[in-house]
Amino acid sequence: MNQDEIRDELVASAQRWAQTSVDAYLEEPVDQDFAVHHMAVAVEHIAKAYLASITLTLLSGSSPSVNDLLVLGGQEDRAEKGRSGLKTISGEVAVKRVKDLLNRGKNTDSPR
């Protein structure tokens, strides 16, 4: 699977999670826990999709396995577990990386 396919899969997943979140919020009675959880997953997946659109290696954690590195480096066919064994960064780290990338070149002295 290539970079664009992984990005597109993450975008589609984010859309599905966001839709289930909105559906849960609109139900009577409102299931706020379910809605908030599903929206958090949607945000994680869209953040990862953005990172994947730049390079798949941005999805790698601090101590990636050989399997992770092969998959993210475009060599999934050489990875023992393939994509099914892939471990990527958390949603929190994904959002932080997106923020860091979007803030590059901006004046860091201004209030946020």
Side-chain angles (χ1 to χ4, degrees):
M1 186 165 283
N2 70 33
Q3 179 178 358
D4 292 338
E5 291 171 325
I6 290 172
R7 180 209 55 226
D8 292 347
E9 209 173 83
L10 284 163
V11 168
S13 178
Q15 290 171 328
R16 286 190 305 272
W17 283 100
Q19 186 61 59
T20 60
S21 172
V22 170
D23 292 345
Y25 186 77
L26 295 175
E27 286 179 2
E28 288 295 331
V30 173
D31 189 346
Q32 289 180 341
D33 290 340
F34 191 83
V36 168
H37 172 267
H38 282 60
M39 190 56 71
V41 175
V43 169
E44 174 182 348
H45 287 193
I46 202 66
K48 287 181 178 182
Y50 173 72
L51 296 173
S53 75
I54 298 168
T55 178
L56 292 177
T57 56
L58 286 170
L59 300 177
S60 131
S62 59
S63 296
S65 69
V66 171
N67 188 79
D68 296 342
L69 292 171
L70 286 169
V71 172
L72 295 173
Q75 300 294 317
E76 183 178 356
D77 57 323
R78 301 185 75 179
E80 188 175 290
K81 297 179 184 177
R83 202 158 157 235
S84 66
L86 180 63
K87 291 183 178 69
T88 63
I89 55 177
S90 68
E92 180 181 2
V93 172
V95 169
K96 182 185 179 309
R97 286 184 183 177
V98 167
K99 180 182 173 189
D100 289 348
L101 287 166
L102 293 176
N103 282 331
R104 286 182 179 230
K106 290 186 178 179
N107 182 355
T108 56
D109 294 335
S110 63
R112 296 183 206 265

